[in-house]
């Protein structure tokens, strides 16, 4: 079987470890509140994988990726949450 790792650009990471840690920390600190919490880019809950296999492939676009990441965190870019939001988002993309 051929090694495919060098052919994978990147993967989306769901950082469940961050959400588990932050939830336990809140419980220990006495600040835990029940309900839903969102762990997105700002909270370190999601990201993209970078490793020895893809670093050279994404090196030239990494500054742009980080710029987009910061715009999402700041709210300048609003990530669509449903199909209606997605349609609006796509319609408003620069041509």
């Amino acid at each position: 079987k051929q090694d495919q790792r060098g052919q994978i650009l990147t993967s989306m990471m769901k950082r469940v470890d961050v959400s588990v840690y932050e939830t336990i920390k809140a419980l220990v600190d006495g600040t835990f509140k029940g309900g839903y919490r969102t762990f997105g880019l700002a909270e370190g809950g999601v990201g993209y994988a970078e490793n020895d296999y893809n670093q050279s492939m994404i090196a030239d676009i990494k500054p742009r990726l980080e710029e987009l990441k910061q715009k999402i965190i700041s709210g300048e870019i609003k990530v669509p949450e449903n199909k209606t939001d997605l349609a609006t988002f796509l319609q408003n993309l620069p041509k």
Side-chain angles (χ1 to χ4, degrees):
K1 188 174 182 178
Q2 186 179 12
D3 185 359
Q4 298 296 314
R5 292 179 287 188
Q7 307 302 314
I8 300 170
L9 180 58
T10 190
S11 296
M12 186 252 183
M13 294 179 9
K14 293 181 183 178
R15 299 289 314 269
V16 176
D17 59 317
V18 172
S19 62
V20 170
Y21 175 82
E22 291 299 328
T23 301
I24 292 170
K25 183 177 181 294
L27 182 66
V28 170
D29 293 346
T31 59
F32 177 79
K33 295 180 183 175
Y36 293 100
R37 286 189 64 191
T38 301
F39 292 89
L41 284 173
E43 297 80 18
V46 295
Y48 59 91
E50 186 175 4
N51 56 46
D52 292 341
Y53 299 99
N54 71 356
Q55 281 181 337
S56 62
M57 285 192 289
I58 66 172
D60 61 333
I61 63 168
K62 187 170 178 186
R64 179 70 172 138
L65 294 175
E66 291 302 313
E67 176 188 344
L68 293 169
K69 177 180 172 181
Q70 291 308 313
K71 286 182 176 185
I72 291 169
I73 290 171
S74 73
E76 185 177 339
I77 295 175
K78 184 179 181 318
V79 177
E81 296 180 11
N82 54 51
K83 287 183 180 184
T84 303
D85 290 349
L86 176 60
T88 302
F89 179 82
L90 292 174
Q91 188 175 18
N92 292 325
L93 284 177
K95 304 259 188 270

